[in-house]
Each structure stands twice: as C-alpha cells, then as structure tokens.
C-alpha cells in the first residue's frame, strides 16, 4: 500500500459524508446503499466510523459529473479515468467524483461496477494512495471483480490500519 505525501488523514475517527449528485444509470437508493457498503468495508478494518449528513457540509462530498466540473481534473468521457478523489483535507479534500460518462452498474458484468470504484475512491478519500498488489482495491486500474467475493485485500487492510489503527 502507499499513503499520500505527508500522510494526510482525518483528525477524527468519525468522518461525515454526503452524496450531492447521482447517476441516471442506477436508482438513488442503490447508490446510497453501495456507498454505505463501501464505507462499511473500510470501517470494519479500522477505527473509523461514518455518519451520513443530508444537508450542509461534510468531510467527504460524493457526486457524479462529466467533463470539466469545477476542479482542475476534467473527466475524459467514457473509459479512461473512471473517477477521482482527493486526500483528506478541507474543502475539496476527501471529496470523490465519479465520471457520469461511464456506464455505472451493480452486479452485472457490463459497465463499471460502482461498488468497486466507490471502494477505491473512498480509499483515496481516507488517505490511501495506490498499491502495487493487483488483488488490492487500491490497485490503479479497474478490473471486474465478482461482487460475491469482492472485499478489501490484506494490503488494503494493512494500509488503512497504518493510518487509523486496528479496530479495538
Ligand atoms: C481504479 C479506478 C476505479 C479509478 C482509477 C482512477 S483514480 C485517479 N481514482 N486512481 C481509474 O479510473 N483507472 C483507470 C486507469 C486506466 C486504464 N486505462 C486507461 C486509459 C486512459 C486513462 C486511464 C486508464 C486502460 C483502458 C481501460 C479504461 C477503463 C478503466 N480505467 C482505469 O482502470
Ligand atoms: Zn472532480
Ligand atoms: Zn486510484
């Protein structure tokens, strides 16, 4: 695993998040559920807990966008970069953006599995960089994983515990 330079992390073990925008590819409830599932994986492996907020600010703001969308990382249409997220910090820090030009799916082999991408992006939002382990969620390229046996690799778990400690 790798961490970001300076090892930015959230100062509190309670991290708030809010979903600002959705995709036409999946029902809102599915996006809500898969984000919660992704965060549950990270919280099970660490001392972190997550609180969803419906209004106002939050540490991690989650949204879908296409092309140029207000930060210095415009998306590139279908394929290529699927999403990006910022290391823990104020304002844009921790935020995760998903390219709405992708075909976001849940469970089907086609398109991009949203759960997998969300788990990867939220790893970045928590302070993890990329892993050289092809089995790691934090590996730089997307590959289809069977949702049944999809989960954090030992390398991902070592990384998150390095930053936030082991579950007591
Ligand atoms: C791990 C993801 C969830 C998030 C990362 C982006 S990030 C910032 N969060 N680390 C991602 O999108 N990686 C690209 C990397 C990539 C693969 N290729 C590319 C062609 C062009 C540009 C990028 C890529 C080859 C063609 C396949 C394109 C589709 C799949 N794309 C990827 O795997
Ligand atoms: Zn962005
Ligand atoms: Zn990445």
């Amino acid at each position: 695993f790798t961490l970001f330079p300076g090892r930015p992390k959230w100062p509190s073990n309670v991290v708030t998040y809010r979903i600002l925008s959705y995709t036409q590819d999946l029902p809102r409830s599915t996006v809500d559920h898969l984000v919660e599932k992704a965060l549950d994986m990270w919280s099970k492996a660490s001392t972190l807990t997550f609180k969803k907020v419906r209004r106002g600010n939050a540490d991690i703001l989650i949204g879908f966008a296409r092309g140029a969308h207000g930060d210095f990382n415009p998306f590139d249409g279908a394929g290529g970069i699927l999403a990006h997220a910022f290391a823990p910090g104020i304002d844009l820090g921790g935020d995760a953006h998903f390219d709405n030009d992708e075909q976001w799916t849940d469970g089907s082999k086609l398109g991009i599995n949203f759960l997998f991408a969300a788990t990867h992006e939220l790893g970045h939002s928590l302070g993890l960089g990329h892993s050289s382990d092809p089995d790691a969620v934090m590996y730089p390229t997307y590959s289809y994983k069977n949702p049944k046996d999809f989960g954090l690799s030992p390398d991902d778990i070592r990384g998150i515990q390095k930053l936030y400690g082991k579950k007591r």
Side-chain angles (χ1 to χ4, degrees):
F1 65 90
T2 58
L3 306 176
F4 287 109
R7 297 173 50 156
K9 61 182 281 199
W10 296 105
S12 153
N13 281 347
V14 179
V15 177
T16 56
Y17 74 98
R18 182 177 167 206
I19 302 175
L20 288 180
S21 58
Y22 290 84
T23 171
Q24 70 285 354
D25 301 340
L26 292 167
R28 285 181 171 227
S29 56
T30 301
V31 171
D32 291 351
H33 171 69
L34 294 177
V35 166
E36 207 176 314
K37 209 166 165 189
L39 289 171
D40 277 353
M41 281 189 251
W42 291 113
S43 72
K44 280 196 179 64
S46 68
T47 56
L48 292 170
T49 54
F50 299 98
K51 295 263 174 297
K52 181 178 174 122
V53 297
R54 294 188 190 295
R55 282 180 306 286
N57 202 2
D59 296 322
I60 298 176
L61 295 178
I62 295 165
F64 291 79
R66 40 173 60 95
H69 56 278
D71 59 32
F72 289 99
N73 311 274
F75 280 130
D76 51 5
I81 293 290
L82 305 177
H84 55 230
F86 299 86
I90 56 163
D91 301 339
L92 211 47
D95 294 359
H97 302 157
F98 297 85
D99 188 344
N100 221 352
D101 279 330
E102 313 300 342
Q103 172 67 39
W104 295 105
T105 60
D106 169 26
S108 104
K109 266 194 177 314
L110 302 175
I112 305 292
N113 181 292
F114 181 66
L115 176 62
F116 181 81
T119 310
H120 180 97
E121 297 313 323
L122 290 164
H124 286 317
S125 305
L126 297 174
L128 289 184
H130 284 144
S131 166
S132 54
D133 177 347
D135 292 336
V137 162
M138 295 316 294
Y139 193 67
T141 55
Y142 172 87
S143 60
Y144 175 76
K145 300 271 187 339
N146 187 319
K148 269 199 321 301
D149 46 7
F150 166 66
L152 299 185
S153 77
D155 182 72
D156 300 310
I157 294 169
R158 277 194 296 275
I160 200 73
Q161 291 184 346
K162 179 82 181 165
L163 261 187
Y164 297 100
K166 282 182 190 300
K167 200 105 187 145
R168 274 180 297 287

